[in-house]
Amino acid sequence: MASNADFVHYITDQCGGAGEIVTKKMFGDYGIYCDGKIFGLICDDSLFRRRV
């Protein structure tokens, strides 16, 4: 099941203060980037962030 576009927009808005947030469609869902570096995936209306 693909992610809802409204959910992707909501997550993008919530992360907006961290830098330039961009989402790119990949693997049927979305990768989420901050200042050009991937930090998570949005899959099935869930955000999975990369461990640092």
Side-chain angles (χ1 to χ4, degrees):
M1 174 169 82
S3 294
N4 183 340
D6 291 334
F7 181 77
V8 174
H9 184 71
Y10 171 75
I11 295 296
T12 303
D13 286 346
Q14 293 298 306
C15 297
E20 181 186 5
I21 303 296
V22 176
T23 57
K24 294 183 183 177
K25 194 115 167 124
M26 57 187 333
F27 310 119
D29 279 300
Y30 297 86
I32 186 165
Y33 297 76
C34 181
D35 295 331
K37 295 186 180 183
I38 192 165
F39 73 90
L41 298 172
I42 300 173
C43 302
D44 298 331
D45 290 337
S46 297
L47 173 65
F48 299 92
R49 69 175 184 86
R50 183 178 155 231
R51 253 177 111 174
V52 179

